[in-house]
Amino acid sequence: MALNHGALAMDPALVKYANMSSNRMKYFRWTPRTAWLSFVWVFAVPFTLGYAGYITEGKWDLRGKRKGDTISEW
């Protein structure tokens, strides 16, 4: 009996997930949770990273340090 090595048994759950993933815009709804998560990832995280970068600008100079030298400049 010959085996068909090229055939793949499709898992119904994976097929359903793939269809849902490709059609996500049809199933998306704005809820308080999605609005909050969107605000956090679009505004709060970049603001926090930018602020942390701004207040530490020039504080550490890692170039040309020798053993025993401190990293902080001020």
Side-chain angles (χ1 to χ4, degrees):
M1 181 190 292
L3 294 175
N4 188 356
H5 293 290
L8 243 160
M10 298 299 288
D11 184 9
L14 290 176
V15 171
K16 183 179 176 182
Y17 176 75
N19 288 334
M20 185 193 67
S21 180
S22 64
N23 295 320
R24 190 173 304 266
M25 74 292 282
K26 295 178 185 176
Y27 301 107
F28 180 79
R29 290 201 177 126
W30 283 106
T31 62
R33 181 176 186 263
T34 56
W36 173 249
L37 288 174
S38 297
F39 170 77
V40 167
W41 286 109
V42 172
F43 296 110
V45 170
F47 174 78
T48 304
L49 291 175
Y51 180 72
Y54 180 75
I55 63 171
T56 60
E57 176 69 28
K59 186 172 184 179
W60 296 296
D61 186 19
L62 300 177
R63 211 176 271 190
K65 295 294 179 181
R66 295 184 179 151
K67 186 175 181 179
D69 290 345
T70 61
I71 293 176
S72 65
E73 294 292 321
W74 45 277

